[in-house]
Amino acid sequence: MASSQKSSAWKYFDKVNENTVKCKICAVQLNYHKSTTGMLTHLKAKHPSVTLATTEKERGPQQTAIASFAVRPRQCDNVRAEKTSALIANMVAKDMLPISFVEGEGFRELMKFVEPEYTDPARKTITTRLGGECIRIQQLLSAETCQRLRRW
């Protein structure tokens, strides 16, 4: 097989001349027009037991399917939902927002845009998550504020 003949069809054909190839299995001659399509069609129709290249290495690089470029919606699985809820609780505590913030229309619209699959947390969910975290964050912020004032 010549270096320019990369198709697996060349294992079963010899080039007779510039415009003709000959099947090594049945000796039939086919027209050749710089493409192995006719040879592959012949092999599939007349010699279905012939196994053509099945690995990417044998086939060479393949064109990427257009479907692989389609944007697939991200799924909000349990791990992602848990992380999102934790971040919302953290935001409420750090920014000292009222817990009712999570029930606001604007927040819910934002979450539907950012994470459509996510079920917005209820006020009780955030309150439970905050627990002692709110006090810890407020203490950190107070300490940080005191340090800033001392530097002034």
Side-chain angles (χ1 to χ4, degrees):
M1 182 164 58
S3 62
S4 64
Q5 299 172 338
K6 295 181 183 189
S7 172
S8 58
W10 287 109
K11 291 183 206 172
Y12 305 98
F13 285 89
D14 286 323
K15 201 169 188 182
V16 175
N17 60 42
E18 201 60 34
N19 299 316
T20 310
V21 291
K22 182 179 178 180
C23 178
K24 293 179 183 178
I25 300 169
C26 65
V28 75
Q29 292 191 3
L30 302 173
N31 288 332
Y32 174 65
H33 303 286
K34 308 270 189 258
S35 170
T36 58
T37 304
M39 294 185 282
L40 292 170
T41 302
H42 171 80
L43 289 171
K44 287 177 186 173
K46 303 296 181 183
H47 313 290
S49 62
V50 170
T51 305
L52 296 171
T54 55
T55 65
E56 188 173 325
K57 188 175 181 181
E58 289 174 314
R59 286 190 312 261
Q62 298 294 302
Q63 184 174 10
T64 305
I66 191 96
S68 68
F69 294 105
V71 176
R72 293 181 182 94
R74 180 180 61 226
Q75 296 297 316
C76 186
D77 59 9
N78 288 341
V79 173
R80 188 165 181 81
E82 183 67 27
K83 178 69 174 171
T84 303
S85 293
L87 287 169
I88 291 169
N90 190 37
M91 178 184 70
V92 167
K94 266 188 176 176
D95 296 342
M96 295 183 215
L97 297 169
I99 295 172
S100 62
F101 172 79
V102 299
E103 295 175 334
E105 188 178 332
F107 174 75
R108 292 192 182 272
E109 285 177 6
L110 172 69
M111 290 309 298
K112 285 296 171 215
F113 176 77
V114 172
E115 193 67 72
E117 299 289 318
Y118 178 71
T119 303
D120 294 331
R123 177 189 289 206
K124 187 173 182 179
T125 304
I126 297 302
T127 303
T128 303
R129 287 184 169 277
L130 289 174
E133 191 68 16
C134 187
I135 294 168
R136 186 185 71 78
I137 291 172
Q138 284 177 338
Q139 288 171 344
L140 287 173
L141 289 175
S142 296
E144 188 178 300
T145 304
C146 288
Q147 287 175 354
R148 285 184 187 164
L149 289 172
R150 285 185 198 135
R151 281 186 236 143
W152 252 23

